[in-house]
Amino acid sequence: YIQTNAPLLDTPGWSCIDVMRPGSVVSDKKGESVGIALDQYLWVAAGGRSSFLGKAVLADERLADLEKRYEPMRKALPAAIKRVEVTFRSEKNAERYMPAEETRGGKATLFGVAVDDKGTLFVPEDLGRDAVRKIEDIVVVEEGARHDAVFVGMFRAFGGFLVRAAGLKAQPGIATDGAAPAPGEMFFTAAFEDRFGASRIKLDYNRLFRIEQGLAGAPRPQPRKRIKAGTFLLDFAGRIVGAATADKKEEDLDDVAMEASRERYYVDRYRGGLGAEHLRRLLFFSEIAAILANPAAHFDARAVPMSKKEEKKLVWLGVEYQEVSKPVADALLIQAHDLTNDGRRGLLVTEIYPGSPAEKAGVKQDDVLLSVKPEGEATARDLVGEPDRLGGMGRGNPYGGGRGAAMAPWKPTRNYLTSMLTEIGATKKVTFEVLRGKTKSPVALTLEYAPVDYETAERYKDEAFGFTVKDLTYEVRHFHKLDAGATGVVVARVESGGKADIGKLQTLSIVTRVNNVAVKGLEHFRELVTSAKSVTLTTIAYGQTKLVELARE
């Protein structure tokens, strides 16, 4: 068994075995034996570098007291590292992303280190924007006492966020003067784990093995043993000098839109804390001392806790579209490279909503949206709706499921385009490149929030009759070809065996009248129904009108 790798030391003739097996023979490039790998023990060379390679190992001082060093560290660490309990808003849809492993019933137990004496903790975990937006409550636990905390911000460039608990008395626990160890030099790792409500600390020794290229070619030291994200790094004196986390690239809006259009949220994004190889990073506090001194300038502005209503708000253009494909491009004679690139980009506008930003900006039906360029960005982003060709494959029912509920027949308002525009943000100015015929022209507009849709509309549940209704929204009117001013409510659910079910009230039908009184909206419907002992509902479903009679007695 022979394996070679980059040299540990910058000395001609040295090779290095990647996976150290106790008893392995170490050879130079000529094949001559120069030592053995003794991974079970550590020695310190004269210059302070730990060593387990070569003939010089015989003359080094052996470290035989590693286990004795663990206990003082284990006792000292809780003074600076605190348990952080994060509660997330529950979601009915199972595909919504929640952090794996630690999450049980919408909760995650993480650990943070104090960075000042004001109760601010740095947590070396990357939750992602979607999880941060669902944060409802944060509690920091210190010696049994529970302190309410607030989310301060999540960093853009690396995995980690800050929380602050005003009543926390912890002193700063990080060492910003602790430089990264040299290759081969020993350091310690402290992994905090939560099991059955109790925390335990797993200590281990490690060494930096080699330097590899990380994200964007940045040099990243790799340890001898893999380290789970969220683990803290300690120097030989037991000071907390860093943490294992992840590099973060600037989020690609195309990727964001693709995932959202498929309704996919990766539960196992960082299974076991070991993410993609090129994104794993050992972060030393000496590298980010300036960032921690002024963190607000380095936060991700779109990663903030939101209410359920705020999170579900979409930014729209106000169009329905079809993804341009090769057959479509050929039929429209727009397959040229500078147009749709043989059908590889472009969204063909099929319908435009009245009063939408698209209508105001002059976008027409049959226009092709080629790209979008947010103000201040150097390049435009091609619009490619490839994921939506799945036709709903892999997409859960966004309107609920189970008995009494049904899949809505109209298109979901969260799609490739609205997801991309939502990440850009409302009130932002953008320029679309629009193809009309074979002529390209820029269309500038200011993005707006979309009106309330069916998923986010207010609801009312009548327990006696056994049905739930929602406000009539713009995409439902559009699907049923109703006037923009049409009023009513949509039957969202009918309880199995209830009076509405027996009366054959159809799910997703539109109630336009109650006892021959036109329904103006949800509140008006509630007033009409609750004040009557029996009701006659005038409903519309797929162009057919039906009367449904219900009695409370």
Side-chain angles (χ1 to χ4, degrees):
Y1 176 82
I2 300 175
Q3 183 173 357
T4 60
N5 209 296
L8 179 68
L9 304 177
D10 296 328
T11 305
W14 276 94
S15 62
C16 183
I17 300 175
D18 191 4
V19 181
M20 284 295 165
R21 295 187 174 185
S24 300
V25 175
V26 180
S27 306
D28 61 16
K29 290 184 178 180
K30 296 180 181 179
E32 296 181 3
S33 299
V34 294
I36 58 175
L38 297 177
D39 195 37
Q40 195 70 22
Y41 305 100
L42 293 175
W43 287 262
V44 175
R49 185 191 301 272
S50 62
S51 172
F52 52 87
L53 295 177
K55 297 176 181 177
V57 78
L58 301 177
D60 291 337
E61 176 188 354
R62 175 178 170 182
L63 295 179
D65 60 345
L66 285 180
E67 296 295 333
K68 296 179 181 179
R69 293 176 180 268
Y70 288 168
E71 197 56 33
M73 292 181 187
R74 188 173 280 109
K75 291 180 178 179
L77 284 172
I81 297 177
K82 305 299 179 184
R83 178 188 174 105
V84 180
E85 297 178 355
V86 185
T87 303
F88 299 91
R89 181 171 58 254
S90 60
E91 293 284 353
K92 291 183 179 179
N93 296 347
E95 68 269 15
R96 298 290 185 183
Y97 167 73
M98 295 295 286
E101 300 265 331
E102 296 89 349
T103 301
R104 297 292 183 271
K107 293 185 178 181
T109 299
L110 309 172
F111 294 88
V113 59
V115 297
D116 58 26
D117 57 0
K118 300 176 183 178
T120 307
L121 302 178
F122 172 76
V123 183
E125 298 274 1
D126 180 26
L127 294 180
R129 286 178 184 167
D130 188 67
V132 170
R133 289 167 179 168
K134 292 177 174 59
I135 292 177
E136 282 192 335
D137 186 47
I138 303 177
V139 173
V140 177
V141 181
E142 180 186 32
E143 296 179 354
R146 300 175 65 83
H147 304 275
D148 291 334
V150 296
F151 180 85
V152 179
M154 185 174 75
F155 292 99
R156 293 191 304 266
F158 52 85
F161 60 94
L162 297 182
V163 300
R164 182 172 295 125
L168 199 64
K169 304 298 183 181
Q171 294 299 311
I174 63 173
T176 56
D177 60 342
E185 188 174 346
M186 189 183 70
F187 62 94
F188 295 97
T189 60
F192 281 69
E193 298 178 345
D194 177 72
R195 290 293 182 271
F196 307 107
S199 302
R200 68 175 185 176
I201 307 173
K202 183 180 179 181
L203 291 166
D204 199 1
Y205 66 84
N206 212 324
R207 289 178 283 266
L208 295 186
F209 204 54
R210 59 180 177 272
I211 305 296
E212 290 186 353
Q213 287 188 342
L215 195 65
R220 294 287 179 252
Q222 296 298 315
R224 159 70 179 82
K225 306 173 187 177
R226 295 188 73 180
I227 305 175
K228 180 180 177 180
T231 300
F232 295 94
L233 311 180
L234 285 63
D235 63 12
F236 206 70
R239 301 186 306 165
I240 305 171
V241 296
T245 181
D247 264 336
K248 290 169 62 176
K249 63 179 181 178
E250 185 65 30
E251 206 151 14
D252 189 330
L253 294 185
D254 288 325
D255 292 342
V256 171
M258 287 178 183
E259 295 306 328
S261 68
R262 294 179 184 181
E263 288 289 330
R264 287 174 58 191
Y265 294 80
Y266 287 113
V267 174
D268 295 330
R269 180 189 288 186
Y270 296 108
R271 179 172 289 281
L274 300 174
E277 190 78 20
H278 70 288
L279 294 181
R280 291 190 4 244
R281 176 177 181 180
L282 300 184
L283 184 71
F284 292 92
F285 293 123
S286 58
E287 302 173 32
I288 61 169
I291 293 177
L292 292 176
N294 182 29
H298 303 276
F299 287 150
D300 183 344
R302 294 194 287 271
V304 293
M306 297 179 179
S307 67
K308 186 175 182 179
K309 191 171 183 179
E310 290 173 332
E311 183 196 3
K312 292 184 179 295
K313 288 178 69 175
L314 294 173
V315 175
W316 75 331
L317 181 60
V319 302
E320 295 290 347
Y321 63 87
Q322 172 186 344
E323 303 82 10
V324 173
S325 60
K326 189 179 188 321
V328 171
D330 290 343
L332 299 177
L333 302 178
I334 55 174
Q335 63 270 60
H337 178 77
D338 63 332
L339 299 180
T340 66
N341 191 18
D342 203 21
R344 292 184 177 89
R345 70 167 182 158
L347 306 176
L348 177 64
V349 177
T350 57
E351 294 172 272
I352 299 176
Y353 288 105
S356 65
E359 185 184 61
K360 296 174 187 176
V363 177
K364 304 293 184 183
Q365 189 172 333
D366 297 329
D367 284 351
V368 178
L369 309 175
L370 296 177
S371 64
V372 60
K373 181 179 179 296
E375 186 179 50
E377 291 195 9
T379 58
R381 300 174 183 272
D382 285 344
L383 295 174
V384 286
E386 181 76 25
D388 289 345
R389 295 180 191 170
L390 293 172
M393 288 176 59
R395 181 187 292 128
N397 181 1
Y399 309 115
R403 298 179 66 182
M407 173 70 80
W410 44 84
K411 290 184 177 180
T413 54
R414 180 177 292 277
N415 55 38
Y416 170 79
L417 183 59
T418 56
S419 298
M420 175 176 284
L421 300 182
T422 301
E423 288 302 319
I424 294 174
T427 74
K428 296 292 181 65
K429 294 181 179 180
V430 298
T431 301
F432 285 90
E433 186 178 36
V434 177
L435 178 64
R436 183 170 297 169
K438 292 188 178 181
T439 304
K440 294 189 295 184
S441 59
V443 174
L445 53 85
T446 301
L447 295 179
E448 301 175 8
Y449 278 118
V452 174
D453 57 23
Y454 178 79
E455 185 180 1
T456 58
E458 295 292 335
R459 67 178 65 200
Y460 161 67
K461 183 175 181 179
D462 192 293
E463 298 285 355
F465 288 134
F467 63 71
T468 302
V469 296
K470 287 188 172 187
D471 255 328
L472 181 61
T473 54
Y474 73 95
E475 83 277 25
V476 182
R477 291 191 191 95
H478 178 78
F479 175 81
H480 286 285
K481 301 187 184 305
L482 301 176
D483 293 336
T487 59
V489 294
V490 182
V491 180
R493 186 179 182 89
V494 176
E495 302 298 333
S496 179
K499 295 179 179 179
D501 186 24
I502 296 172
K504 297 184 179 180
L505 180 63
Q506 186 176 347
T507 306
L508 299 181
S509 60
I510 299 172
V511 180
T512 58
R513 290 177 173 271
V514 176
N515 294 335
N516 210 28
V517 178
V519 177
K520 298 177 182 179
L522 188 68
E523 286 302 318
H524 187 219
F525 176 84
R526 187 204 301 260
E527 294 172 5
L528 293 174
V529 170
T530 55
S531 61
K533 293 184 178 179
S534 63
V535 295
T536 299
L537 307 179
T538 304
T539 67
I540 298 175
Y542 305 104
Q544 296 184 345
T545 301
K546 177 182 176 182
L547 298 180
V548 177
E549 295 184 355
L550 304 174
R552 289 188 181 274
E553 299 299 331

